[in-house]
Amino acid sequence: MGLGWSSPEEREPLLPPPQRPPQRGQLQRPAAEAAATRTAPRGRGQPAAAPSPRLAQVPGRVYGRRWLVLLLFSLLAFAQGLLWNTWGPIQSSARQAFAFSDLDIAVLVFWGPIGFAPCFAFMWLMDKKGLRVTVLLTSFLMVLGAGLRCVPVSDRGTRKWLIHGGQLLNGLAGPTVTSAAPFLSTTWFSPDERATATAVASLIGYLGGAFAFLVGPLLVPGPNGTATLPLESGSSPEHIKDRIETVLYAEFGIVALIFSATLAYFPSRPPFPPSVAAASQRLSYRRSFCRLLSNSRFLMIALAYSIPLGVFAGWSGVLDWVLTPAHVSQVDAGWIGFWSIVGGCIVGVALARFADFIRGMLKLILLLLLSGATLSSIWFTLTCITTVIHLPLTTATLYASCILLGVFLNSSVPIFFELFVETVYPVPEGITCGVVTFLSNMFMGVLLFFLTFYHEEFSWFNWCLPGSCLLSLLLILCFRESYDRLYLDVIVSV
């Protein structure tokens, strides 16, 4: 990342010959000192150096191929979310077709956060080898995992283990598709497009999970004989199994096609950097972790992101299971999950585009989104828990509360990512977002662990949603924002 993305010989053409130093008054001294501090390490006791004229004259250049790179990465994230959420929307059908137990359904979702255990290795690989090597390894793991789920084995026990192994390999792809979006946007996009590119790359993965909510219940009939599409053979276990296997083969074909496309073309970086921040020096892998762990402001917003998003991800993964006591069908639960994620993706991209035009308002946007998420989660919880207050439990109220909760939380993801990077710059983007996504999946894993062994009563699970949203809102309210990366780009362009 940063200057480490190319050799000195490759970097030299990016910097034009030294220009005449700026005259007095053209660059304020505090800003110059801040730029020098961010771009050049200095020893103890040495005064801050003046800004390098060579760095200050780096021309930003963007390429049309950046949209192709963004598309390929987004499709990869879409496929990873699709494979991860395959079983949650059709858990009732999977029980009958493959003799899955409640533990199997929970563990199939649980492989997602477990896959983040080696995420620090993926951070190191992204920092040292760049995007192409990391994305190719990620897509290969997804192809292998999707293929394992399709192996035609007659023995149910062996088939079950193959499906679990495939889900684990797909979970290992999670660290890249969930944390590399800010790194990609900084590497390929100009400062006035970064938030938008981050939103697209980070939210498309959620859209893949939403597509699973739609495809699963539509193509796979429920065990009670209800199905959205007309069936020729009823809803026998064998017919349900054939439909599930059709979905698995289709997902394998999608992943294999994306892997072939990334293998054919997915460069690590453009020939010229799009901004000064993209070409500036970054901290090393070890120093980055030291900086993150010693930065109380980063830890504050990291918790504000990871707790509610981790709880919501675990809740979404078993949404059909959670809504079963409210007599919500598998198809209705799928539509609720679908529209909550789709709405969050649309609103998230729109807000990110707004943040690109109106800079310095990330904290305000997050306060509004988390306030809406808190109110929506309280509405949903009180609707489901009739022993506390008697709110009307109807399809309309369930749809509205769940969809609004998903819209507010999912749309906050790219805003959080941009605020993380701005706060801890010059820590590399991949390392910063990798740490916070690891924390988010850790909270998700803890929640699913308790859900796996204590799934008879859901009241405690429903109260986790408003509690986590309220805690996040309070943390953001106390957070003092800063925009170090944007500050560098602005003062150099003056």
Side-chain angles (χ1 to χ4, degrees), residues 219 221 225 227 229-236 239-240 242-243:
L219 298 182
L229 297 182
L231 304 177
E232 298 83 2
S233 307
S235 299
S236 64
H239 181 72
I240 294 175
D242 290 340
R243 286 298 186 99

Side-chain angles (χ1 to χ4, degrees), residues 89-94 96-97 215-244 247 330-331:
I90 58 172
Q91 50 93 13
S92 299
S93 302
Q96 185 168 351
V215 171
L218 283 178
L219 298 182
V220 179
N224 57 358
T226 59
T228 304
L229 297 182
L231 304 177
E232 298 83 2
S233 307
S235 299
S236 64
E238 286 301 320
H239 181 72
I240 294 175
K241 182 179 179 181
D242 290 340
R243 286 298 186 99
I244 294 178
V247 173
Q330 180 173 282
V331 175

Side-chain angles (χ1 to χ4, degrees), residues 405-423:
L405 176 60
V407 167
F408 287 124
L409 284 181
N410 288 326
S411 59
S412 69
V413 172
I415 308 300
F416 266 117
F417 278 179
E418 288 296 302
L419 189 59
F420 291 142
V421 174
E422 295 289 351
T423 301

Side-chain angles (χ1 to χ4, degrees), residues 185-208:
S185 63
T186 300
T187 303
W188 285 91
F189 289 83
S190 60
D192 59 349
E193 295 176 336
R194 281 197 297 238
T196 304
T198 299
V200 172
S202 60
L203 292 177
I204 292 298
Y206 293 88
L207 197 60

Side-chain angles (χ1 to χ4, degrees), residues 163-182:
I163 291 175
H164 279 282
Q167 291 297 118
L168 173 60
L169 289 176
N170 183 72
L172 293 175
T176 300
V177 300
T178 57
S179 62

